[in-house]
């Protein structure tokens, strides 16, 4: 599909079929999400792809009754890194040296800049910054899913603390921020045929020349 056709096709699915996404679809979506943009190229989040029915039933209790968490093919959890510090920065610098060549010492200036940037932030501000990066990745993931013909439903209305407990995220230095059900829309999902409600282009966009 073209990008506009894909975005007109996608919607927040309310009822999923029992179809299971294949490995190629999932791998392509996860790779597209991994390539998402982010501030400084940093990725202060991890992706948890969950297919296990029992685990998803446990999560359903913390999902405000949204049964697509359990009924979709897969559930994708976007979990933010909780420790944004000099170690986090150093690990990114090592990755830069590994993937771009050279040594970590050659990136010392950039490393110092990042350390200074985060040093001036409170823990709450760091968490907010990490959330922003998650939403960039979530948006890219939704668009990529549409281009791949994968139905989705993003959700932030869930009990994050409950998810963190069920998934043991605190022990992994993570906290849940957003979730997204993935699969194929059910033929009986009445929402699928409804027109999109969006602001007209002339209202949404103002061109300043």
């Amino acid at each position: 599909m073209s990008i506009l056709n894909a975005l007109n096709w996608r919607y927040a699915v309310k009822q999923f079929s029992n179809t299971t996404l294949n490995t190629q679809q999932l791998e392509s979506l996860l790779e597209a999400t991994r390539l998402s943009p982010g501030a400084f190229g940093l990725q202060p989040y991890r992706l948890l792809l969950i297919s296990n029915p029992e685990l998803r039933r446990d999560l359903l209790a913390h999902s405000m009754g949204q049964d697509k968490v359990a009924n979709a093919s897969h559930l994708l959890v976007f979990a933010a890194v909780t420790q944004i510090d000099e170690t986090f920065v150093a690990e990114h610098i090592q990755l830069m040296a590994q993937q771009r060549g050279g040594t970590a010492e050659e990136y010392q200036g950039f490393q110092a800049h990042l350390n200074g940037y985060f040093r001036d932030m409170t823990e709450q501000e760091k968490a907010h910054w990490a959330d922003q990066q998650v939403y960039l990745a979530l948006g890219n993931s939704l668009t990529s899913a549409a281009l791949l013909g994968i139905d989705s439903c993003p959700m932030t209305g869930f009990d994050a603390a409950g998810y963190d407990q069920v998934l043991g995220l605190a022990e992994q230095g993570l906290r849940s921020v957003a979730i997204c059900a993935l699969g194929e829309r059910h033929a009986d999902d009445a929402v699928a045929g409804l027109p999109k409600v969006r602001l007209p282009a002339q209202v949404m966009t103002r061109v300043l020349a």
Side-chain angles (χ1 to χ4, degrees):
M1 285 188 284
S2 71
I3 182 70
L4 293 182
N5 285 339
L7 292 177
N8 276 296
W9 172 82
R10 76 149 301 277
Y11 72 105
V13 174
K14 305 306 179 188
Q15 184 179 0
F16 284 87
S17 73
N18 58 5
T19 302
T20 301
L21 297 174
N22 63 52
T23 300
Q24 183 177 354
Q25 287 175 302
L26 292 167
E27 288 180 348
S28 295
L29 179 60
L30 292 173
E31 180 63 4
T33 306
R34 187 183 70 86
L35 295 172
S36 296
F40 307 113
L42 294 167
Q43 295 170 296
Y45 56 86
R46 299 293 182 266
L47 307 172
L48 289 78
L49 183 66
I50 305 172
S51 60
N52 183 289
E54 183 177 342
L55 181 56
R56 288 195 285 157
R57 281 195 295 271
D58 290 341
L59 292 172
L60 182 57
H62 306 284
S63 303
M64 300 186 179
Q66 300 177 98
D67 60 4
K68 46 188 165 282
V69 164
N71 296 337
S73 171
H74 290 74
L75 180 69
L76 185 59
V77 177
F78 292 75
V81 172
T82 55
Q83 285 294 110
I84 310 295
D85 54 17
E86 292 191 358
T87 299
F88 172 76
V89 170
E91 289 173 350
H92 182 68
I93 296 301
Q94 289 289 345
L95 187 63
M96 287 185 69
Q98 174 186 333
Q99 296 188 353
R100 290 186 173 178
T103 63
E105 287 71 24
E106 296 176 49
Y107 299 96
Q108 282 183 344
F110 183 49
Q111 184 171 4
H113 173 70
L114 291 178
N115 284 331
Y117 179 78
F118 291 120
R119 192 177 299 120
D120 293 334
M121 285 186 178
T122 64
E123 291 304 311
Q124 183 177 8
E125 289 170 335
K126 290 178 184 178
H128 177 66
W129 174 83
D131 289 351
Q132 290 178 320
Q133 311 314 307
V134 166
Y135 295 134
L136 285 172
L138 175 60
N140 182 50
S141 186
L142 294 173
T143 300
S144 299
L147 286 166
L148 291 164
I150 298 172
D151 280 307
S152 63
C153 182
M155 293 166 273
T156 54
F158 67 99
D159 177 9
Y163 266 63
D164 293 353
Q165 181 180 18
V166 171
L167 298 173
L169 294 187
E171 295 84 353
Q172 303 173 56
L174 300 170
R175 57 180 177 81
S176 54
V177 176
I179 60 177
C180 186
L182 301 169
E184 181 180 285
R185 66 191 68 178
H186 196 286
D188 294 335
D189 190 350
V191 181
L194 296 179
K196 282 188 181 297
V197 179
R198 298 291 188 272
L199 288 172
Q202 61 270 27
V203 176
M204 173 63 73
T205 306
R206 302 177 184 183
V207 180
L208 306 180

